[in-house]
Amino acid sequence: TATAGTISTTGLYTAPATVPAGGTVTVTATSAADTTKASKATVTVTTPVVAISAISPTSATVLVGGTQQFNATVTGSSNTTVTWTATAGTISATGLYTAPATVPAGGSVLVTGVAAADTTKSSVATVTVTSATSNGTLAPKTVALTTSQTQQFTATLAGTGTTVWTATGGTISATGLYTPSGTAGVYQVTANNGTSSATATVAVTTLGGVYTYHNDLARTGQNLQEYALTPATVAGGSFGKRWSCALDGEAYAQPLYVANLSIGGGIHNVLIVSTHHNSVYAFDADSSSCVTYWKLNFGTSITSNCWDITKEYGITGTPVIDPVTKTLFLVAATKEATGTVQRLHSISVATGLDTMTPAVIPSVHVGTATFNPANQNQRAGLALSGGSIYIAWGSFCDLGVYNGWMMRFDESTLGQLATYNVTPNGSDGGIWMSGSAPVIDSTPRVFFSTGNGTFDVTANPPLPAPGGDFGQSFVALDPTTLGVVDFYTPSAWQAWSTADIDVSAGGVLALPDGAGPSGHPNVLIGISKQGYAWMMDRGQMAPAGLNYSSSSDNTVQFFLLPGGVSGCTNSNSCKVVFSTPTYWRGDSTMTSGTVYFSTVKGPLLAFPLTNGLMATAASSTAAPARFVGTPAYQTAETYGYPGASPTISAAGTSPNTAILWALDNNANGTSSYGANAPLGPSVLRAYNAANLQTLYSSSSKTADAGGNAVKF
């Protein structure tokens, strides 16, 4: 018991909200077994001592009309509010000071912060307001930093006064060394000596890295933590190639990125690049000298004997990085005395060393199929979720006897946990997706598409046990057992398989939960080689009792993209899509966002989602679809074979910062419509994501030319 305040049955005492009479409280503990036995303690209750820290910075020099952020911390009270005042100019409730338009009398301003919990507690800073002309220079003028980096600025100012450095965010020393805070954003650094001043811009990102194909498990392609590159800065004329580094082979895998990594005796940002020559590089992402922290080579690559890839196979599928352990997982194919061997590697990004013995991909058997590493090309990007690595296979150029496969491995041991075969009683059904990785949604389920091959399933649900053949389908697997839990197969699957017209020619994309239309909030987008697009309900890909659609009624939406070819019967005339769609959320007031598609020999297309659906128009020539998509915007440039899989960069959800980036890899030298394409540089382009207006093209500057293009 307690004479004031409360005390729990376990002895946790809570003092009253005010000091009790006399200032003391008696706490008594009484034995429940013998209430005559008790013990007492005295508690002195006092009023908390409220304090406010010194304002940071304690002094600053600000140009007329300029700004300066001030901060102060209140302790000793749950009310940590600081009330701000200034003798001239204005200051916001959060401490952002704005100097007046003219220099005040005496040139000095007092900024005061008062603790709202105790108005007798305050702190004061001094601001010198000057009208110095902005005729100086700062170097560098603009800079992009991660939170672990610093930047030394150099000022060139007229006059001989003492240079005072200020920053609107982060801190800057008396000698111009800027240190960012842990908050992302765009900040200004100013040097002022009373006669002249100069300002530079610092963009700070909290992006930890790009760890997987198309940035996330939904494969949206979004990086929403980009503050330096905006439509205004990229179109301003100063954006361009900064450096290039030679590789020992073609890079089909998407480069990955890790920020703020302890490596090379310091903290650095690192770029991971894999090649078909079976090598992996760890480059310093900020160095123009091609600083390489480590390079690995896993052995002799596989010589290509077909049209798909002109030289060799090594590391083809995009690796994946665990952002917590900073471990890189990849599959390398090597030519050895025993034949072709494929291994799953686990590499420390910091050291370049194997974290455990690599796992040989086993020759497993499912149904009548046997995994043969000499025939199975690990093309799709790897996926990592819940401590499991998901790896998928197609074939080498449709040659030999092959099936589509997916396997699950334990991240911590590299032990094989589960295996799925697309066509266990048939053939083909490769998991291609133009190098995209499987989607894993919040359910979770594993989604992907399959190529031409055997299909013999007759009911959904129930699904047959142990499983049928799911060629030419969109499939959902249980993430643990890799058993089929749902699927969607177009009604024209047989004709399309015969003509080699895959629904796995491009990757699948999951829209954010809730972005779909009413009744179908969670949507999967899939596309086919000849240019059809589907929006499928991820919770019920096909209606109960039906295994495939005969019309668009069995999907959320089904239409032909502009440039698509309906009714084609020859694969070469149907090469329209070999890419992964991209999704941009847009600003916080948008409920759905925008989906971007790329078609061969066509422009990039933007389809805003209205009530979760894309705009279409009725058409009698789009069979089996009844509609053709009507994009809101398209690019001025067209893209050859194989099209593009764009990505998005933006500062959060701000629509004025979003850029759509795309590589035109038409000059890749591989088979295109039955004839070899020219061999030349890849072209990087940037577009305003809001309207697809061109901001930049590397082809417009000789100095910006890229290396020779590869197919992906």
Side-chain angles (χ1 to χ4, degrees), residues 247-257 271-283 294-298 312-321 328-332 345 347 378 382 710 712:
L247 303 174
D248 64 7
E250 296 180 335
Y252 266 51
Q254 175 185 316
L256 302 175
Y257 169 76
L271 189 70
I272 303 296
V273 183
S274 306
T275 75
H276 262 165
H277 199 62
N278 263 335
S279 293
V280 182
Y281 297 78
F283 291 114
W294 50 262
K295 176 189 174 183
L296 301 176
N297 184 269
F298 299 107
E312 58 186 343
Y313 290 91
I315 303 167
T316 306
T318 298
V320 68
I321 295 174
L328 174 75
F329 299 95
L330 60 88
V331 173
H345 293 262
I347 308 296
Q378 202 288 291
L382 277 62
V710 296
F712 292 97

Side-chain angles (χ1 to χ4, degrees), residues 330-692:
L330 60 88
V331 173
T334 55
K335 190 68 174 178
E336 302 179 16
T338 57
T340 300
V341 179
Q342 297 188 30
R343 289 182 177 87
L344 171 60
H345 293 262
S346 171
I347 308 296
S348 166
V349 179
T351 66
L353 300 176
D354 279 294
T355 65
M356 62 190 87
T357 302
V360 174
I361 305 300
S363 294
V364 293
H365 307 275
V366 177
T368 62
T370 300
F371 182 88
N372 183 348
N375 292 344
Q376 304 289 165
N377 180 21
Q378 202 288 291
R379 180 68 193 99
L382 277 62
L384 176 64
S385 177
S388 293
I389 307 161
Y390 298 87
I391 308 174
W393 284 265
S395 79
F396 297 100
C397 295
D398 280 336
L399 298 177
V401 177
Y402 73 93
N403 307 83
W405 293 83
M406 182 174 292
M407 300 183 193
R408 180 170 78 94
F409 291 81
D410 189 310
E411 174 186 4
S412 61
T413 66
L414 300 189
Q416 186 186 10
L417 300 176
T419 299
Y420 170 71
N421 187 293
V422 175
T423 51
N425 309 302
S427 63
D428 303 352
I431 302 174
W432 306 103
M433 302 196 297
S434 292
S436 184
V439 161
I440 302 178
D441 73 352
S442 59
T443 310
R445 288 181 172 184
V446 181
F447 296 88
F448 56 94
S449 55
T450 67
N452 52 284
T454 308
F455 176 76
D456 58 11
V457 185
T458 58
N460 178 27
L463 294 173
D469 298 302
F470 287 91
Q472 203 68 278
S473 302
F474 301 100
V475 181
L477 300 183
D478 179 279
T480 301
T481 65
L482 296 189
V484 176
V485 293
D486 205 354
F487 71 99
Y488 180 93
T489 307
S491 58
W493 70 267
Q494 191 163 33
W496 291 358
S497 282
T498 301
D500 188 24
I501 306 172
D502 296 5
V503 300
S504 192
V508 295
L509 163 68
L511 296 185
D513 291 356
S518 177
H520 303 282
N522 303 328
V523 168
L524 181 77
I525 295 178
I527 49 183
S528 71
K529 184 182 290 185
Q530 73 269 50
Y532 288 110
W534 288 264
M535 294 178 68
M536 295 161 280
D537 190 319
R538 299 201 305 270
Q540 183 178 300
M541 297 173 71
L546 297 174
N547 67 301
Y548 55 85
S549 73
S550 58
S551 72
S552 61
D553 296 335
N554 292 341
T555 59
V556 177
Q557 205 167 16
F558 174 44
F559 59 91
L560 187 68
L561 291 168
V565 182
S566 64
C568 62
T569 58
N570 180 279
S571 177
N572 282 334
S573 65
C574 302
K575 290 183 176 179
V576 177
V577 172
F578 293 90
S579 56
T580 300
T582 299
Y583 172 78
W584 157 234
R585 175 186 172 186
D587 67 78
S588 57
T589 64
M590 295 176 66
T591 58
S592 295
T594 301
V595 179
Y596 302 87
F597 294 95
S598 173
T599 58
V600 176
K601 293 187 176 180
L604 303 184
L605 308 168
F607 285 82
L609 294 167
T610 303
N611 296 323
L613 297 173
M614 297 183 229
T616 61
S619 172
S620 60
T621 61
R626 298 197 299 263
F627 303 93
V628 172
T630 56
Y633 305 101
Q634 62 184 42
T635 61
E637 297 87 357
T638 58
Y639 286 72
Y641 176 78
S645 292
T647 58
I648 285 280
S649 68
T653 57
S654 173
N656 298 324
T657 63
I659 297 175
L660 186 77
W661 302 88
L663 277 178
D664 188 339
N665 287 329
N666 181 60
N668 58 70
T670 65
S671 176
S672 174
Y673 297 93
N676 286 339
L679 183 63
S682 178
V683 178
L684 172 66
R685 297 194 182 101
Y687 301 94
N688 188 323
N691 53 27
L692 293 189

Side-chain angles (χ1 to χ4, degrees), residues 255-315:
L256 302 175
Y257 169 76
V258 179
N260 308 325
L261 183 69
S262 179
I263 191 172
I267 304 297
H268 302 279
N269 302 318
V270 177
L271 189 70
I272 303 296
V273 183
S274 306
T275 75
H276 262 165
H277 199 62
N278 263 335
S279 293
V280 182
Y281 297 78
F283 291 114
D284 188 307
D286 303 299
S287 171
S288 61
S289 302
C290 296
V291 172
T292 306
Y293 293 112
W294 50 262
K295 176 189 174 183
L296 301 176
N297 184 269
F298 299 107
T300 305
S301 58
I302 310 301
T303 301
S304 174
N305 62 348
C306 65
W307 64 91
D308 183 47
I309 293 175
T310 58
K311 299 177 183 177
E312 58 186 343
Y313 290 91
I315 303 167

